Amino acid sequence: MRERTGRNALRHRWLVPIVMLGLVLPMLLGASTAAATYTGLKMPWPRTVYHSVTQTPGAYENCNVQNPPSHCFGFDTWAYDFGLSTGNTVSAAHSGTVLGYQFAFGVGACDVSYATKANYIVLNHGDGYSSQYWHLLQNSASVSPNQFVYQGHPLGGADTSGAACGTHLHFAVEATPPCNNGYNSCIGQSIRISFDEAGEPALNTSIQSLNHVQFSATYQSQSANLSLTPGQVNHFVVQYLNNGYDVWNIGMSGNKAFLGTWNPTPGQDQASVLGGATGCVVATNWYSCNRIRPTTTQVDPGQSAWFDFQVRGPASQGIYKLYLRPLIEGVLWMEDVGLYVQVTVVNP
Amino acid sequence: MNVLRLVSYAQRRPWAVLGFGLLLVVVASLAATVPTVAAPAPPTTYANTTYGFELTLPDGWHRSDVLSNTKGLGDSRLLEWDVFTARTPASEKAGAVLSEVGLPPAWQWTVEVEVWNNPKGLSALAWASDPNLAGWARGQTIKTVTVNNQAAAQQVGGALHAVSYYVAAKGYMFRFGFYQGTPEERPTLATDAGINGILASFRVK
């Protein structure tokens, strides 16, 4: 009898891994579902600024107490609270289109009667999810209906509007709601999220935002050094990434991006012996004596700008350098990486 | 003596007694199963004497002391909000859960009147169309309407109420509307007809 049982067990041992897989697979699938996390978010305030986490998702809070934290319930279970003060800038954690907002209320308290008096904004990321920002400051909207904003764009100021127990920013991501039937239709169940700077930050952690600034240029590539004969013209290409949250547009005052002449040669805003516009020391195809424009009128955030410009070989042999730095005309000089164009003038 | 006569009658006509008994049973069961239908209470008028507006409330509706707010607002523009509910006080108390976002149960299926300062004398349509005053939501529509013979603007699907109405009067902007909730949280008396009737009854005195 014992022997027969043993034989049966031996005969069916191939079943063991299948049975084990059947047991383990659902657990693995369940675990992976639970671990699904929305990523690609930056901390929702301006770059370099620090703010602390004042409430984490309910999953990380102690909810087994007499008065559990608010993130233990309802829509808020994967939300974060951050310790911003009144008037601190709230920035877009993700690019998106304004889906709905309210900025009229100037009241708030730790009281259920204020529950509908919160100022908020919902941004539709366009990937099926939206971010929501709550308890904002009255009249502080930095957006307009249907506006598309890039990651880092200011949205408004922080405050304590609505049912808030103190000034803070309540932040969450949700499946994009319809936002077509009043307050509750613009809100949905929060989902698990992770920030680029800090993953899933712990309570009381102080976090520095690495969100995008308004204007930022990241160097990408340039042509090889040129060898020219005197008077010979050739073109040179420089590629920069628009890494800010605002557009570069040659027709918009305050958004005009250029490469400008820089130190040490020929010096900030000085004319160059290698190129320029009509009426300059050297006339090629530049925008002016000290500015080179991108080839396209507008460069959106996340896109590359191509600066394709001509240089002319000076009359004398030698090595010439032209230092350039990106700028927004009348606003600021962007990052300086020591970019230069080197031209060697040789005998014809 | 009477009992003896009844017994004698029953012996002579048993079918008659049986029929009478059945009749008694039917009457008794009807009395037990058919509820007593109380006549609905007549509508009541809610009058806000501070800002001079009135509403007609159907049976079961009352002003909520839990959700309304008349003092300590700290907002120079928003002066007051009155909330009307069809919940019982006990149900309202149970649903008055502090929630950072979203409508707590007590707020769902309520009618609200907000009173705003309107120092510039903006029209109802101008107010409703200004996102910084009335909020904005992607699906909203705005049009001019008449409410109880008063010029008004109607905002459907906005960022606050499912339907809001705006009436400019006496230097104030009155915004009144209702909060749509989940079917589970809907009080029996909060019918569409009841809600619409309250909104349609708004009048500035």
Side-chain angles (χ1 to χ4, degrees), chain A residues 223-306:
Chain A
S223 303
N225 293 336
L226 292 175
S227 184
L228 301 174
T229 57
Q232 184 186 359
V233 175
N234 205 338
H235 75 111
F236 197 89
V237 179
V238 174
Q239 181 189 9
Y240 267 96
L241 174 73
N242 178 354
N243 199 29
Y245 65 73
D246 211 344
V247 297
W248 298 350
N249 188 308
I250 208 72
M252 284 172 60
S253 180
N255 289 68
K256 295 178 179 178
F258 294 105
L259 289 180
T261 53
W262 192 248
N263 301 316
T265 309
Q268 181 180 342
D269 293 331
Q270 299 302 304
S272 169
V273 296
L274 292 174
T278 304
C280 303
V281 176
V282 176
T284 56
N285 67 343
W286 293 17
Y287 184 81
S288 67
C289 298
N290 54 16
R291 297 287 185 265
I292 298 165
R293 59 159 286 179
T295 53
T296 53
T297 301
Q298 178 159 314
V299 180
D300 290 328
Q303 287 189 337
S304 287
W306 298 90

Coordinates of all heavy atoms in Angstrom, one line a residue, chain A residues 223-306:
Chain A
S223 N 28.5 71.5 -34.7 CA 29.3 71.1 -35.8 C 30.8 70.9 -35.4 O 31.2 71.5 -34.4 CB 29.3 72.1 -36.9 OG 27.9 72.3 -37.3
A224 N 31.5 70.2 -36.2 CA 33.0 70.2 -36.0 C 33.6 71.5 -36.3 O 33.0 72.3 -37.0 CB 33.5 69.1 -37.0
N225 N 34.8 71.7 -35.8 CA 35.5 73.0 -36.1 C 35.7 73.1 -37.6 O 35.8 72.2 -38.4 CB 36.9 72.9 -35.4 CG 36.8 72.9 -33.9 OD1 35.8 73.4 -33.4 ND2 37.8 72.4 -33.3
L226 N 35.7 74.4 -38.0 CA 35.8 74.7 -39.4 C 37.2 75.1 -39.8 O 37.9 75.8 -39.1 CB 34.8 75.8 -39.8 CG 33.3 75.5 -39.7 CD1 32.5 76.8 -39.9 CD2 32.9 74.4 -40.7
S227 N 37.5 74.8 -41.1 CA 38.8 75.3 -41.7 C 38.4 76.0 -42.9 O 37.8 75.5 -43.8 CB 39.7 74.1 -42.0 OG 40.9 74.6 -42.5
L228 N 38.7 77.3 -42.9 CA 38.2 78.2 -44.1 C 39.4 79.0 -44.7 O 40.4 79.2 -44.0 CB 37.2 79.2 -43.6 CG 35.9 78.7 -42.9 CD1 35.1 79.9 -42.4 CD2 35.1 77.9 -44.0
T229 N 39.3 79.3 -45.9 CA 40.2 80.2 -46.5 C 39.7 81.7 -46.3 O 38.5 81.8 -46.0 CB 40.3 80.0 -48.0 OG1 39.0 80.1 -48.6 CG2 40.9 78.6 -48.3
P230 N 40.5 82.7 -46.4 CA 40.0 84.0 -46.2 C 38.8 84.4 -47.1 O 38.9 84.1 -48.3 CB 41.2 84.9 -46.6 CG 42.4 84.0 -46.3 CD 42.0 82.7 -46.6
G231 N 37.8 84.8 -46.5 CA 36.6 85.2 -47.3 C 35.6 84.1 -47.5 O 34.5 84.3 -47.9
Q232 N 36.1 82.8 -47.3 CA 35.2 81.7 -47.5 C 34.1 81.6 -46.5 O 34.3 81.9 -45.3 CB 36.0 80.4 -47.5 CG 35.2 79.2 -47.9 CD 36.0 77.9 -47.7 OE1 37.2 77.9 -47.3 NE2 35.3 76.8 -48.0
V233 N 32.9 81.3 -46.9 CA 31.8 81.2 -46.0 C 31.3 79.7 -45.9 O 31.3 79.0 -46.9 CB 30.6 82.0 -46.6 CG1 29.3 81.8 -45.7 CG2 31.0 83.5 -46.6
N234 N 31.1 79.4 -44.7 CA 30.5 78.0 -44.4 C 29.5 78.1 -43.3 O 29.4 79.2 -42.6 CB 31.6 77.0 -44.1 CG 31.2 75.6 -44.4 OD1 30.0 75.3 -44.6 ND2 32.2 74.7 -44.6
H235 N 28.7 77.1 -43.1 CA 27.7 77.2 -42.0 C 28.1 76.3 -40.9 O 28.8 75.3 -41.0 CB 26.3 76.9 -42.6 CG 26.0 75.5 -42.8 ND1 25.1 74.8 -42.1 CD2 26.5 74.6 -43.7 CE1 25.1 73.5 -42.5 NE2 25.9 73.4 -43.5
F236 N 27.6 76.7 -39.7 CA 27.9 76.0 -38.5 C 26.5 75.8 -37.8 O 25.6 76.6 -37.8 CB 28.8 76.9 -37.6 CG 29.5 76.2 -36.5 CD1 30.7 75.6 -36.7 CD2 28.9 76.1 -35.2 CE1 31.4 74.9 -35.7 CE2 29.5 75.4 -34.2 CZ 30.8 74.8 -34.4
V237 N 26.4 74.6 -37.1 CA 25.1 74.3 -36.5 C 25.3 74.0 -35.0 O 26.3 73.3 -34.6 CB 24.5 73.1 -37.1 CG1 23.1 72.7 -36.4 CG2 24.2 73.3 -38.6
V238 N 24.5 74.6 -34.2 CA 24.5 74.3 -32.7 C 23.1 73.9 -32.3 O 22.1 74.4 -32.8 CB 24.8 75.6 -31.9 CG1 24.7 75.3 -30.4 CG2 26.3 76.0 -32.3
Q239 N 23.0 72.9 -31.5 CA 21.7 72.3 -31.1 C 21.5 72.5 -29.5 O 22.4 72.1 -28.8 CB 21.6 70.8 -31.4 CG 20.3 70.2 -31.0 CD 20.3 68.7 -31.2 OE1 21.4 68.1 -31.4 NE2 19.2 68.0 -31.0
Y240 N 20.4 73.1 -29.2 CA 20.1 73.3 -27.8 C 18.7 72.8 -27.5 O 17.8 72.9 -28.3 CB 20.1 74.8 -27.3 CG 21.5 75.2 -26.8 CD1 22.4 75.9 -27.6 CD2 21.8 75.1 -25.4 CE1 23.6 76.3 -27.1 CE2 23.0 75.5 -24.9 CZ 23.9 76.1 -25.7 OH 25.1 76.5 -25.2
L241 N 18.5 72.2 -26.3 CA 17.2 71.7 -25.9 C 16.5 72.8 -25.1 O 17.1 73.3 -24.2 CB 17.3 70.4 -25.1 CG 16.0 69.9 -24.4 CD1 15.1 69.3 -25.5 CD2 16.3 68.9 -23.3
N242 N 15.3 73.1 -25.4 CA 14.5 74.0 -24.6 C 14.0 73.2 -23.4 O 13.1 72.4 -23.5 CB 13.3 74.5 -25.3 CG 12.4 75.4 -24.4 OD1 12.6 75.5 -23.2 ND2 11.4 76.0 -25.0
N243 N 14.7 73.4 -22.3 CA 14.4 72.6 -21.1 C 13.6 73.3 -20.0 O 13.6 72.9 -18.9 CB 15.8 72.1 -20.5 CG 15.6 70.9 -19.6 OD1 14.7 70.1 -19.7 ND2 16.5 70.8 -18.6
G244 N 13.1 74.5 -20.4 CA 12.2 75.2 -19.5 C 10.8 74.9 -19.7 O 10.4 73.9 -20.4
Y245 N 9.9 75.6 -19.0 CA 8.4 75.3 -19.1 C 7.8 76.3 -20.1 O 6.6 76.2 -20.4 CB 7.7 75.3 -17.8 CG 7.7 76.6 -17.0 CD1 6.8 77.6 -17.4 CD2 8.4 76.8 -15.9 CE1 6.8 78.8 -16.7 CE2 8.4 77.9 -15.1 CZ 7.6 79.0 -15.6 OH 7.5 80.1 -14.9
D246 N 8.6 77.3 -20.6 CA 8.0 78.3 -21.5 C 8.5 78.1 -22.9 O 9.6 77.6 -23.1 CB 8.3 79.7 -21.0 CG 7.2 80.7 -21.3 OD1 6.3 80.4 -22.2 OD2 7.1 81.7 -20.7
V247 N 7.8 78.6 -23.9 CA 8.2 78.4 -25.3 C 9.3 79.5 -25.6 O 9.4 80.5 -25.0 CB 7.0 78.6 -26.2 CG1 6.0 77.5 -26.0 CG2 6.4 80.0 -26.1
W248 N 10.1 79.2 -26.6 CA 10.9 80.1 -27.3 C 10.2 80.5 -28.6 O 9.9 79.7 -29.4 CB 12.3 79.5 -27.6 CG 13.1 79.1 -26.4 CD1 12.8 79.3 -25.1 CD2 14.3 78.3 -26.4 NE1 13.7 78.7 -24.3 CE2 14.7 78.0 -25.1 CE3 15.1 77.7 -27.4 CZ2 15.8 77.3 -24.7 CZ3 16.2 77.0 -27.1 CH2 16.5 76.8 -25.8
N249 N 10.0 81.8 -28.7 CA 9.3 82.3 -29.9 C 9.9 83.6 -30.4 O 9.9 84.6 -29.6 CB 7.8 82.4 -29.7 CG 7.0 82.6 -31.0 OD1 7.3 83.6 -31.7 ND2 6.0 81.8 -31.2
I250 N 10.4 83.6 -31.6 CA 11.1 84.8 -32.1 C 10.2 86.0 -32.3 O 10.6 87.1 -32.3 CB 11.8 84.4 -33.4 CG1 13.1 85.3 -33.6 CG2 10.9 84.5 -34.6 CD1 14.2 84.9 -32.7
G251 N 8.9 85.7 -32.3 CA 7.9 86.8 -32.5 C 7.2 87.2 -31.2 O 6.4 88.1 -31.2
M252 N 7.6 86.6 -30.1 CA 7.0 87.0 -28.8 C 7.9 87.7 -27.9 O 8.9 87.2 -27.5 CB 6.5 85.7 -28.1 CG 5.2 85.1 -28.6 SD 4.9 83.5 -27.8 CE 4.7 84.0 -26.1
S253 N 7.6 89.0 -27.6 CA 8.4 89.7 -26.6 C 8.5 89.0 -25.3 O 7.5 88.5 -24.8 CB 7.8 91.1 -26.4 OG 8.6 91.8 -25.6
G254 N 9.7 88.8 -24.8 CA 9.9 88.1 -23.6 C 10.1 86.7 -23.7 O 10.4 86.0 -22.8
N255 N 10.0 86.2 -25.0 CA 10.3 84.7 -25.2 C 11.2 84.5 -26.4 O 11.3 83.4 -26.9 CB 8.9 84.0 -25.6 CG 8.0 83.9 -24.4 OD1 7.5 84.9 -23.9 ND2 7.8 82.7 -23.9
K256 N 11.9 85.6 -26.8 CA 12.8 85.5 -28.0 C 14.2 84.9 -27.6 O 14.9 85.5 -26.8 CB 13.1 86.9 -28.6 CG 11.8 87.5 -29.1 CD 12.1 88.9 -29.7 CE 10.9 89.5 -30.3 NZ 11.1 90.9 -30.8
A257 N 14.4 83.7 -28.1 CA 15.7 83.0 -27.7 C 16.7 83.2 -28.8 O 16.4 83.2 -30.0 CB 15.4 81.5 -27.6
F258 N 17.9 83.5 -28.4 CA 19.0 83.7 -29.4 C 20.3 83.0 -28.8 O 20.3 82.7 -27.6 CB 19.4 85.2 -29.6 CG 18.3 86.0 -30.2 CD1 17.5 86.8 -29.5 CD2 18.1 85.9 -31.6 CE1 16.5 87.6 -30.1 CE2 17.1 86.7 -32.2 CZ 16.3 87.5 -31.4
L259 N 21.3 82.9 -29.7 CA 22.6 82.7 -29.2 C 23.2 84.1 -29.3 O 23.1 84.7 -30.3 CB 23.4 81.7 -30.1 CG 23.0 80.3 -30.1 CD1 23.9 79.4 -31.0 CD2 23.2 79.7 -28.7
G260 N 23.8 84.5 -28.2 CA 24.4 85.9 -28.2 C 25.9 85.7 -28.1 O 26.4 84.7 -27.5
T261 N 26.6 86.7 -28.6 CA 28.1 86.7 -28.5 C 28.5 86.8 -27.0 O 27.8 87.6 -26.2 CB 28.7 87.8 -29.3 OG1 28.1 89.0 -28.9 CG2 28.5 87.5 -30.8
W262 N 29.6 86.1 -26.6 CA 29.9 86.0 -25.2 C 31.4 86.1 -24.9 O 32.2 86.1 -25.9 CB 29.2 84.7 -24.6 CG 29.2 84.6 -23.1 CD1 30.0 83.8 -22.4 CD2 28.5 85.4 -22.2 NE1 29.7 84.0 -21.0 CE2 28.8 85.0 -20.9 CE3 27.6 86.5 -22.4 CZ2 28.3 85.6 -19.8 CZ3 27.1 87.1 -21.3 CH2 27.4 86.6 -20.0
N263 N 31.7 86.1 -23.7 CA 33.1 86.2 -23.2 C 33.9 84.9 -23.4 O 33.2 83.8 -23.3 CB 33.2 86.6 -21.8 CG 32.4 87.9 -21.5 OD1 32.6 88.9 -22.3 ND2 31.6 88.0 -20.5
P264 N 35.1 84.9 -23.7 CA 36.0 86.1 -23.7 C 36.1 86.7 -25.1 O 36.5 87.9 -25.3 CB 37.4 85.5 -23.3 CG 37.3 84.1 -23.8 CD 35.9 83.6 -23.6
T265 N 35.7 86.0 -26.2 CA 35.9 86.5 -27.5 C 34.5 86.3 -28.3 O 34.1 85.2 -28.4 CB 37.0 85.7 -28.3 OG1 38.2 85.7 -27.5 CG2 37.2 86.4 -29.7
P266 N 33.9 87.3 -28.8 CA 34.4 88.7 -28.8 C 34.0 89.5 -27.6 O 34.3 90.7 -27.5 CB 33.6 89.3 -30.0 CG 32.3 88.5 -30.0 CD 32.7 87.1 -29.5
G267 N 33.4 88.9 -26.6 CA 32.9 89.6 -25.4 C 31.3 89.7 -25.5 O 30.7 89.6 -26.5
Q268 N 30.8 89.9 -24.3 CA 29.3 89.9 -24.2 C 28.7 91.0 -25.1 O 29.1 92.2 -25.0 CB 28.8 90.1 -22.8 CG 27.3 90.1 -22.6 CD 26.9 90.4 -21.2 OE1 27.7 90.2 -20.3 NE2 25.7 90.7 -21.0
D269 N 27.9 90.6 -26.0 CA 27.1 91.5 -26.9 C 28.0 92.2 -27.9 O 27.6 93.2 -28.6 CB 26.3 92.5 -26.1 CG 25.2 91.9 -25.3 OD1 24.7 90.9 -25.7 OD2 24.9 92.5 -24.2
Q270 N 29.2 91.8 -28.1 CA 30.1 92.4 -29.0 C 30.0 91.8 -30.4 O 29.6 90.6 -30.6 CB 31.6 92.3 -28.6 CG 31.9 92.9 -27.2 CD 31.5 94.4 -27.2 OE1 32.0 95.2 -28.0 NE2 30.6 94.8 -26.2
A271 N 30.3 92.6 -31.4 CA 30.3 92.1 -32.8 C 31.5 91.2 -33.0 O 32.5 91.3 -32.4 CB 30.4 93.3 -33.8
S272 N 31.3 90.3 -33.9 CA 32.3 89.3 -34.2 C 32.9 89.5 -35.6 O 32.3 90.0 -36.5 CB 31.7 87.9 -34.1 OG 32.6 86.9 -34.6
V273 N 34.2 89.1 -35.7 CA 34.8 89.1 -37.0 C 34.5 87.9 -37.9 O 34.9 87.8 -39.0 CB 36.4 89.2 -36.9 CG1 36.8 90.5 -36.1 CG2 36.9 88.0 -36.1
L274 N 33.7 87.0 -37.3 CA 33.4 85.8 -38.1 C 32.0 85.9 -38.7 O 31.7 85.1 -39.6 CB 33.4 84.6 -37.1 CG 34.8 84.2 -36.6 CD1 34.7 83.1 -35.6 CD2 35.7 83.8 -37.8
G275 N 31.1 86.7 -38.2 CA 29.8 86.8 -38.8 C 29.0 87.9 -38.3 O 29.4 88.6 -37.3
G276 N 27.8 88.1 -38.9 CA 26.9 89.2 -38.4 C 25.8 89.4 -39.4 O 25.5 88.5 -40.3
A277 N 25.1 90.5 -39.3 CA 24.0 90.9 -40.2 C 24.5 92.0 -41.1 O 25.6 92.6 -40.9 CB 22.8 91.3 -39.4
T278 N 23.6 92.4 -42.0 CA 23.9 93.5 -42.9 C 24.2 94.7 -42.1 O 23.5 95.1 -41.2 CB 22.7 93.7 -43.8 OG1 22.4 92.5 -44.5 CG2 23.0 94.8 -44.8
G279 N 25.3 95.4 -42.4 CA 25.7 96.6 -41.7 C 26.7 96.4 -40.6 O 27.1 97.3 -39.9
C280 N 27.0 95.1 -40.3 CA 27.9 94.8 -39.2 C 29.3 94.7 -39.7 O 29.6 94.8 -40.9 CB 27.5 93.4 -38.5 SG 25.8 93.4 -37.9
V281 N 30.3 94.4 -38.8 CA 31.7 94.2 -39.3 C 31.8 93.2 -40.4 O 32.5 93.4 -41.4 CB 32.5 93.8 -38.0 CG1 34.0 93.6 -38.4 CG2 32.4 94.8 -36.9
V282 N 31.1 92.1 -40.2 CA 31.0 91.1 -41.2 C 29.6 90.8 -41.4 O 28.8 90.6 -40.5 CB 31.8 89.8 -40.7 CG1 31.6 88.7 -41.8 CG2 33.2 90.1 -40.5
A283 N 29.2 90.7 -42.7 CA 27.8 90.4 -43.0 C 27.6 89.0 -43.4 O 28.1 88.6 -44.5 CB 27.2 91.4 -44.0
T284 N 26.9 88.2 -42.6 CA 26.5 86.8 -43.1 C 25.0 86.7 -42.9 O 24.3 87.7 -43.3 CB 27.3 85.7 -42.3 OG1 27.1 85.9 -40.9 CG2 28.8 85.8 -42.6
N285 N 24.5 85.7 -42.3 CA 23.1 85.5 -42.1 C 22.6 85.6 -40.7 O 21.5 85.1 -40.4 CB 22.6 84.2 -42.7 CG 23.1 83.0 -41.9 OD1 24.1 83.2 -41.1 ND2 22.5 81.9 -42.1
W286 N 23.3 86.3 -39.8 CA 22.9 86.4 -38.4 C 21.7 87.3 -38.3 O 21.4 88.1 -39.2 CB 24.0 87.0 -37.6 CG 25.2 86.1 -37.5 CD1 25.6 85.0 -38.3 CD2 26.3 86.2 -36.5 NE1 26.7 84.4 -37.9 CE2 27.2 85.1 -36.8 CE3 26.5 87.0 -35.4 CZ2 28.4 84.9 -36.0 CZ3 27.7 86.8 -34.7 CH2 28.6 85.8 -35.0
Y287 N 21.1 87.2 -37.2 CA 19.9 88.1 -36.8 C 20.3 89.5 -36.7 O 19.6 90.5 -37.0 CB 19.2 87.6 -35.6 CG 17.9 88.3 -35.2 CD1 16.7 88.0 -35.8 CD2 18.0 89.3 -34.2 CE1 15.6 88.6 -35.5 CE2 16.8 89.9 -33.9 CZ 15.6 89.6 -34.5 OH 14.5 90.2 -34.2
S288 N 21.5 89.7 -36.0 CA 22.1 91.1 -35.8 C 23.6 90.9 -35.7 O 24.1 89.8 -35.9 CB 21.4 91.7 -34.6 OG 21.9 91.0 -33.4
C289 N 24.2 92.0 -35.3 CA 25.7 91.9 -35.2 C 26.1 90.9 -34.1 O 27.3 90.4 -34.1 CB 26.3 93.3 -34.9 SG 26.0 94.4 -36.2
N290 N 25.3 90.7 -33.1 CA 25.7 89.9 -31.9 C 24.6 88.8 -31.6 O 24.7 88.3 -30.5 CB 26.0 90.7 -30.7 CG 24.8 91.7 -30.4 OD1 23.7 91.5 -30.8 ND2 25.1 92.7 -29.6
R291 N 23.7 88.5 -32.4 CA 22.6 87.6 -32.1 C 22.4 86.6 -33.3 O 22.4 87.0 -34.5 CB 21.3 88.3 -31.9 CG 21.3 89.2 -30.7 CD 21.3 88.3 -29.4 NE 21.2 89.2 -28.2 CZ 22.2 89.7 -27.5 NH1 23.4 89.4 -27.8 NH2 21.9 90.4 -26.4
I292 N 22.2 85.3 -33.0 CA 21.9 84.3 -34.0 C 20.6 83.7 -33.6 O 20.4 83.3 -32.4 CB 23.1 83.2 -34.0 CG1 24.4 83.8 -34.4 CG2 22.7 82.0 -34.9 CD1 25.6 83.0 -34.1
R293 N 19.7 83.6 -34.5 CA 18.3 83.1 -34.1 C 18.2 81.6 -34.5 O 18.9 81.1 -35.3 CB 17.3 83.9 -34.8 CG 17.3 83.9 -36.3 CD 16.0 84.2 -37.0 NE 15.0 83.1 -36.9 CZ 13.8 83.2 -37.3 NH1 13.4 84.3 -37.9 NH2 13.0 82.2 -37.3
P294 N 17.3 80.9 -33.9 CA 17.0 79.5 -34.2 C 16.4 79.5 -35.6 O 15.8 80.4 -36.1 CB 16.0 79.0 -33.2 CG 15.9 80.1 -32.2 CD 16.4 81.4 -32.8
T295 N 16.4 78.3 -36.2 CA 15.9 78.2 -37.6 C 14.4 78.2 -37.6 O 13.8 78.5 -38.6 CB 16.4 76.9 -38.3 OG1 16.1 75.8 -37.4 CG2 17.9 76.9 -38.5
T296 N 13.7 77.8 -36.5 CA 12.2 77.8 -36.5 C 11.8 79.0 -35.6 O 12.4 79.4 -34.7 CB 11.7 76.5 -35.9 OG1 12.3 76.3 -34.6 CG2 12.0 75.3 -36.8
T297 N 10.5 79.4 -35.9 CA 10.0 80.5 -35.2 C 9.7 80.2 -33.8 O 10.0 81.0 -32.8 CB 8.7 81.0 -35.9 OG1 8.9 81.3 -37.2 CG2 8.0 82.2 -35.1
Q298 N 9.2 79.0 -33.5 CA 8.9 78.6 -32.1 C 9.5 77.3 -31.8 O 9.5 76.3 -32.6 CB 7.4 78.5 -31.9 CG 7.0 78.0 -30.5 CD 5.6 78.4 -30.1 OE1 5.1 79.5 -30.3 NE2 4.9 77.5 -29.5
V299 N 10.0 77.2 -30.6 CA 10.6 76.0 -30.0 C 9.9 75.7 -28.7 O 10.0 76.4 -27.7 CB 12.1 76.1 -29.8 CG1 12.7 74.8 -29.2 CG2 12.8 76.5 -31.1
D300 N 9.1 74.6 -28.7 CA 8.4 74.3 -27.5 C 9.3 73.6 -26.5 O 10.3 73.0 -26.8 CB 7.2 73.3 -27.8 CG 6.1 74.0 -28.7 OD1 5.9 75.2 -28.4 OD2 5.5 73.3 -29.5
P301 N 8.8 73.6 -25.2 CA 9.6 72.9 -24.2 C 9.7 71.4 -24.6 O 8.8 70.8 -25.1 CB 8.7 73.1 -22.9 CG 8.0 74.4 -23.1 CD 7.8 74.4 -24.6
G302 N 10.9 70.9 -24.4 CA 11.2 69.5 -24.7 C 11.6 69.3 -26.2 O 12.0 68.2 -26.6
Q303 N 11.6 70.4 -26.9 CA 12.1 70.4 -28.3 C 13.5 70.9 -28.5 O 13.9 71.8 -27.6 CB 11.1 71.1 -29.2 CG 9.8 70.5 -29.5 CD 9.0 71.2 -30.5 OE1 9.2 72.4 -30.8 NE2 8.1 70.5 -31.1
S304 N 14.1 70.6 -29.5 CA 15.5 71.1 -29.8 C 15.4 72.3 -30.7 O 14.6 72.4 -31.6 CB 16.3 70.0 -30.5 OG 16.7 69.0 -29.6
A305 N 16.2 73.3 -30.4 CA 16.4 74.4 -31.3 C 17.7 74.2 -32.1 O 18.7 73.9 -31.5 CB 16.5 75.7 -30.4
W306 N 17.6 74.5 -33.3 CA 18.7 74.4 -34.2 C 19.2 75.8 -34.6 O 18.4 76.6 -35.2 CB 18.4 73.6 -35.5 CG 18.0 72.2 -35.1 CD1 16.8 71.7 -34.9 CD2 18.9 71.1 -35.0 NE1 16.8 70.4 -34.6 CE2 18.1 70.0 -34.6 CE3 20.3 70.9 -35.1 CZ2 18.7 68.7 -34.4 CZ3 20.9 69.7 -34.9 CH2 20.1 68.6 -34.6

